[in-house]
Amino acid sequence: MENEVKSPKDIAIELKNDVANQIKPVQDAVDQLSVEMQRIASGSTVEAKKNLVDVLEAKSELKTFRKGDAKVEVKAPIDMLRANSVGDSQSLIAAGSPINTPNQLTHVRDFMRIGKLSKPTYKYDRETAVEGSAAVVAEGAKKPKVSFKMTPVVANAAKIALYYKLSTETVQDAPAFTYSLQGRGIELVLQEEDDQLLYGTGVGEEALGLFTAATAFNAGSLRVENAQVIDVLYAAITQVRKSMFRANAIFMNPTDIAKMNLTKDADGRYLLPNILSNSASTIAGVTIAGIDAVNEGEFLVGALDLAVETFSVEDLHVEVSGSNEDDFITNKVTVLIEERLLQAITRPAALVKGSFATATAALMAA
């Protein structure tokens, strides 16, 4: 039929299909890169970043952002964008070895195993106490009973998100776009993630934080003359060990680490070279991590491999759209970065928290 007039609905369907056809090659390429990056978990930071840039540069479809109609969701694991080797890191955690991530900010997730969860809620049992113990028994005698006291808990996933605007020119330049994602956007999300994983209340939209559920520092019968930060951390490691766990991480504020490293004796000599290894800051073989989200003056020592189960309900992902607000007429695009994360703390006894001031005083108490 000649000169057929299409309805607005038909036009809208055609436009939608046209946009989808333009975006599909970009999504397929990024998804393929995600799989490849997980397969070669040992790839270097430079190589991983270059792969992401190459994919973006190779796809001229990025120019569709200028039309204001297109939206691309990069469903890539966070560690691809940060170029962190999760596989290697988790092997080191399991072995109790220090984790080295040079030239990269350290985050709580670098010390955790993160699984996948399909639902935003998770029911689990939290171990609160152990009653009884094993013993030698005579043949035919009744065996001793050990009871693990449990409390049922329901954990909720926390959604962490932000958005910001970029010029269309920046998005079309793959290295600049990659730098924006890696250098600022994702790091800001990770900083809030750290705060949730450490101090979240577990109420409402918040995750349950390690500090919220951890066991308070208890010096017990241990006493130290002129106690220092090092003594407090060693005592906390011992407390975790007495609970039948082995600590594998110490979280401190970077300022407190600096103060500790700069501590001198009466003759002006630094104390720590005799305590800390040359490759990574450790005490009794336990890695010290400087986490910006930790409050100054506080510390947390724990066996994170046994105390915590962390799940990704929705992987950190990036969406870009040119149709938000007045983006189309101002030559801007909106970049949205978000994730959903859930944390279950199964054994609070494997986590010890405290303040250096209080713990130091307790170690020197008569």
Side-chain angles (χ1 to χ4, degrees):
M1 184 174 180
E2 296 182 359
N3 301 323
E4 179 180 2
V5 178
K6 296 182 179 180
S7 68
K9 181 178 179 180
D10 291 335
I11 295 174
I13 292 174
E14 288 186 4
L15 287 175
K16 181 178 179 181
N17 292 336
D18 181 60
V19 170
N21 291 333
Q22 294 182 58
I23 292 304
K24 190 176 186 302
V26 179
Q27 182 65 66
D28 291 344
V30 175
D31 287 345
Q32 182 179 358
L33 178 59
S34 300
V35 174
E36 181 66 13
M37 287 303 298
Q38 293 179 68
R39 187 183 70 81
I40 53 171
S42 60
S44 66
T45 298
V46 174
E47 180 183 0
K49 183 174 181 178
K50 181 178 184 298
N51 287 341
L52 181 57
V53 171
D54 288 347
V55 167
L56 294 176
E57 282 186 331
K59 294 299 177 181
S60 60
E61 287 86 351
L62 284 172
K63 293 181 180 179
T64 60
F65 288 130
R66 297 186 65 179
K67 298 180 179 180
D69 301 343
K71 182 170 73 172
V72 173
E73 182 177 355
V74 184
K75 294 182 178 179
I78 182 174
D79 296 287
M80 183 195 78
L81 295 173
R82 297 182 66 232
N84 183 33
S85 175
V86 175
D88 289 349
S89 295
Q90 293 181 354
S91 297
L92 289 170
I93 293 171
S97 301
I99 300 173
N100 298 318
T101 52
N103 301 322
Q104 177 177 295
L105 292 177
T106 302
H107 294 283
V108 175
R109 69 160 44 234
D110 295 328
F111 292 83
M112 290 185 170
R113 297 184 180 94
I114 299 182
K116 289 290 296 181
L117 197 65
S118 59
K119 298 181 179 179
T121 59
Y122 179 61
K123 296 181 179 180
Y124 68 98
D125 289 328
R126 178 178 298 162
E127 182 180 308
T128 57
V130 180
E131 296 181 354
S133 62
V136 176
V137 295
E139 183 66 26
K142 185 177 181 179
K143 280 68 175 176
K145 179 182 179 180
V146 174
S147 298
F148 295 94
K149 299 297 182 180
M150 301 289 186
T151 299
V153 178
V154 178
N156 297 316
K159 179 182 282 291
I160 303 172
L162 61 78
Y163 79 90
Y164 60 95
K165 293 182 180 292
L166 291 174
S167 69
T168 54
E169 288 80 4
T170 299
V171 175
Q172 292 172 33
D173 186 294
F177 189 27
T178 302
Y179 178 82
S180 170
L181 296 179
Q182 292 177 314
R184 295 297 293 167
I186 289 176
E187 285 298 332
L188 289 174
V189 172
L190 290 177
Q191 288 175 21
E192 177 59 27
E193 178 188 281
D194 285 344
D195 190 68
Q196 283 293 305
L197 294 179
L198 291 174
Y199 293 105
T201 63
V203 178
E205 301 299 322
E206 295 193 6
L208 178 64
L210 301 177
F211 273 92
T212 304
T215 304
F217 176 85
N218 186 349
S221 60
L222 183 61
R223 295 294 179 267
V224 179
E225 293 184 6
N226 190 28
Q228 305 286 334
V229 168
I230 303 169
D231 303 307
V232 169
L233 297 177
Y234 213 115
I237 293 171
T238 303
Q239 182 177 340
V240 173
R241 184 68 186 90
K242 291 175 68 176
S243 297
M244 301 182 68
F245 300 101
R246 295 182 183 274
N248 62 4
I250 299 170
F251 292 156
M252 296 171 57
N253 185 278
T255 299
D256 290 322
I257 294 178
K259 291 178 181 178
M260 182 179 66
N261 290 339
L262 297 175
T263 302
K264 301 176 183 178
D265 62 18
D267 296 322
R269 294 171 297 190
Y270 291 104
L271 297 180
L272 294 187
N274 295 325
I275 302 291
L276 304 181
S277 66
N278 293 327
S279 58
S281 296
T282 63
I283 292 180
V286 182
T287 301
I288 300 175
I291 306 293
D292 292 337
V294 176
N295 295 332
E296 285 190 36
E298 295 183 347
F299 65 89
L300 185 134
V301 177
L304 298 181
D305 53 340
L306 296 175
V308 186
E309 296 177 2
T310 306
F311 299 97
S312 173
V313 178
E314 184 178 1
D315 286 339
L316 187 145
H317 59 280
V318 180
E319 294 183 16
V320 183
S321 173
S323 58
N324 181 50
E325 298 173 339
D326 60 351
D327 288 348
F328 178 72
I329 61 175
T330 58
N331 291 327
K332 298 288 186 181
V333 295
T334 298
V335 180
L336 172 67
I337 306 175
E338 64 181 348
E339 66 172 343
R340 298 186 76 182
L341 205 65
L342 184 149
Q343 183 164 257
I345 300 178
T346 56
R347 298 179 179 89
L351 301 168
V352 172
K353 65 179 178 182
S355 71
F356 288 113
T358 303
T360 300
L363 285 176
M364 294 191 296

